[in-house]
Amino acid sequence: MTYDIGIIKGDGTGPEVVNEAIKVLNKISEHHSLTLNFTDLPYDGQRYIETGITLTDDELEGLKQYNAILLGAIGHPDIKPGILERGILLKLRFELDQYINLRPIKLFKNVYTPIKNKTPDDIDYVVVRENTGGLYTGHGGCTMKNTEHEIAEQAMVYSRHQVERCVRFAFEHAKKRHTDTPWKGLSEKEIENGKKGKVTLCGKSNVLQYVYDLWLRVMEDVGKDFPEIAWDYVHVDAVCIYMIECPERFDIIVTGNMFGDIITDLAAVTQGGMGIAPSGNINPNGTSMFEPIGGTAPSFTGQNAINPCACILAAAMMLDHLGETEASNNIVQAVEKTVLKMDSMLAAKMGMGTTDVGNLVCSYLKN
Ligand code: IPM
Ligand code: MN
């Protein structure tokens, strides 16, 4: 199989982590007879500084020709916050209709979690974050600016269409995750009733009574199409408690854009931090984009000190999304072996350099 991959290395440590991911992808393509064509795309902060361009409509159109996009990180200390985020990253997510932000939360063996007494058995779930709606769309405005009566408004707006396709994805994902043995967090009664996995809606229906009531009703409707998947509801603040106290209660969490952003930073810390947290911006019918959750890490740029595992795992998610499941699993298993040799997931504390980590992952790939 041949795949055309758009590469946005980005700024800061972005290029360093993407280079390691490409190294691993090149190696894996030999083992699994894949042809991966990489095209470097300069859509980053550096270009914005030089030209004032973030991302043009033509460039966006051009991105649709790729089978997938791999992105390092975008950001620049000299650019006002918000310009690159909205002008590049969010524009890509919205315009390519990548309506799911998939964030697997998995603690690997030998990786430090700040939660005492929790093991890889306990921290293994997936957050399905809605990625094109909610507070992020910029419904709102500011009037009477700079007067004492000024008003700023930003609204959480969700259509049933947006909620439904996200919730449906979450249930489908739960189904895909547990094809034979039921998920271990299910109760005896649920297993008796033929349940195999569970979707937890994370919301705030007690306060956001319109938006999360819509989500709840959609859960009820869509849930009927998935008799083998149990579901429940937990308020977002309680989700934060459970993520620390009993992360093993989660299988799939589905939630809106803003809550999803916040809880996945917390979740990433429990799995060892930004160095090991990948994500996928998914449009099941179009071009999807894979990226590490972490940012540009300016203080570590150019030092061969940043952890490339998150980006390598993002590349594995990309292959899985493209249907190359074996190749994807091969990479994940090689990363699992690699982290056994690392001192820490934190930049500059790994006990080896960025390129060493990439080389080690390559050496553990199975033929
Ligand atoms: C993330 C990031 C982005 C987001 C920022 C950079 C716009 O925090 O991918 O989680 O809020 O979605
Ligand atoms: Mn975030």
Side-chain angles (χ1 to χ4, degrees):
M1 284 295 276
T2 299
Y3 301 101
D4 294 321
I5 311 294
I7 299 286
I8 305 176
K9 291 188 180 177
D11 305 293
T13 50
E16 292 169 71
V17 296
V18 172
N19 287 342
E20 296 315 303
I22 290 179
K23 198 193 263 177
V24 172
L25 286 169
N26 278 330
K27 192 88 195 157
I28 200 88
S29 51
E30 290 167 24
H31 295 327
H32 295 260
S33 345
L34 310 171
T35 306
L36 300 172
N37 301 320
F38 301 113
T39 307
D40 262 316
L41 304 161
Y43 311 151
D44 54 30
Q46 193 51 44
R47 183 178 76 149
Y48 175 75
I49 292 207
E50 286 157 21
T51 63
I53 298 169
T54 46
L55 186 64
T56 69
D57 293 345
D58 284 348
E59 287 165 349
L60 259 175
E61 227 12 73
L63 282 167
K64 296 183 183 162
Q65 68 180 301
Y66 296 105
N67 296 105
I69 300 166
L70 185 65
L71 181 143
I74 295 175
H76 203 291
D78 301 338
I79 304 174
K80 199 174 137 210
I83 294 184
L84 299 175
E85 289 88 332
R86 288 194 301 275
I88 303 179
L89 190 62
L90 298 181
K91 190 165 177 179
L92 284 164
R93 291 177 182 171
F94 291 164
E95 299 296 325
L96 298 176
D97 205 18
Q98 294 162 344
Y99 60 85
I100 299 298
N101 196 320
L102 193 61
R103 299 191 159 179
I105 309 302
K106 188 172 161 66
L107 177 67
F108 289 127
K109 278 202 197 95
N110 191 45
V111 171
Y112 169 79
T113 176
I115 312 180
K116 208 174 160 188
N117 300 331
K118 292 296 172 191
T119 68
D121 262 355
D122 303 311
I123 303 178
D124 185 5
Y125 56 94
V126 178
V127 179
V128 174
R129 165 186 174 190
E130 199 289 326
N131 209 31
T132 53
L135 274 172
Y136 272 65
T137 48
H139 281 268
C142 182
T143 51
M144 293 175 279
K145 198 165 179 176
N146 295 324
T147 72
E148 59 184 302
H149 298 291
E150 89 172 282
I151 293 173
E153 178 208 5
Q154 191 126 19
M156 185 183 281
V157 180
Y158 265 116
S159 68
R160 180 176 267 272
H161 166 76
Q162 286 174 320
V163 176
E164 166 148 6
R165 63 185 186 171
C166 178
V167 164
R168 199 165 280 284
F169 184 97
F171 274 94
E172 294 282 2
H173 199 78
K175 198 171 156 180
K176 192 176 139 201
R177 207 165 182 245
H178 308 287
T179 42
D180 26 79
T181 37
W183 171 59
K184 60 184 183 339
L186 291 168
S187 67
E188 262 169 48
K189 195 158 177 234
E190 283 167 327
I191 294 174
E192 256 168 48
N193 289 335
K195 303 293 180 193
K196 292 235 156 154
K198 182 174 227 156
V199 177
T200 299
L201 172 63
C202 160
K204 189 74 188 175
S205 60
N206 51 347
V207 177
L208 307 176
Q209 76 271 46
Y210 306 118
V211 167
Y212 277 99
D213 178 60
L214 172 61
W215 280 79
L216 266 170
R217 284 181 288 118
V218 171
M219 288 291 286
E220 250 160 54
D221 291 350
V222 173
K224 291 190 188 118
D225 294 340
F226 296 86
E228 69 278 61
I229 306 299
W231 72 269
D232 65 356
Y233 170 84
V234 180
H235 291 319
V236 59
D237 42 0
V239 164
C240 292
I241 296 176
Y242 296 161
M243 276 182 166
I244 306 301
E245 274 189 1
C246 47
E248 64 279 6
R249 94 173 282 305
F250 294 123
D251 181 13
I252 307 278
I253 298 177
V254 65
T255 190
N257 210 341
M258 187 76 258
F259 294 163
D261 177 49
I262 299 166
I263 67 169
T264 50
D265 266 22
L266 177 60
V269 169
T270 68
Q271 76 181 125
M274 293 301 164
I276 185 105
S279 73
N281 301 276
I282 295 184
N283 175 347
N285 316 303
T287 302
S288 299
M289 178 170 79
F290 298 82
E291 55 171 326
I293 292 189
T296 52
S299 56
F300 295 107
T301 302
Q303 293 176 26
N304 195 34
I306 197 79
N307 188 351
C309 285
C311 195
I312 294 169
L313 290 170
M317 286 180 76
M318 177 176 83
L319 289 181
D320 185 48
H321 174 78
L322 292 170
E324 300 296 341
T325 316
E326 263 181 48
S328 172
N329 292 340
N330 197 345
I331 295 179
V332 174
Q333 281 155 19
V335 172
E336 278 177 316
K337 287 186 186 148
T338 301
V339 300
L340 295 177
K341 306 278 177 196
M342 294 168 67
D343 294 345
S344 160
M345 293 302 110
L346 301 176
K349 301 212 166 116
M350 302 187 291
M352 59 181 87
T354 306
T355 50
D356 301 319
V357 176
N359 293 341
L360 210 47
V361 173
C362 286
S363 75
Y364 286 133
L365 293 172
K366 284 189 295 240
N367 279 310

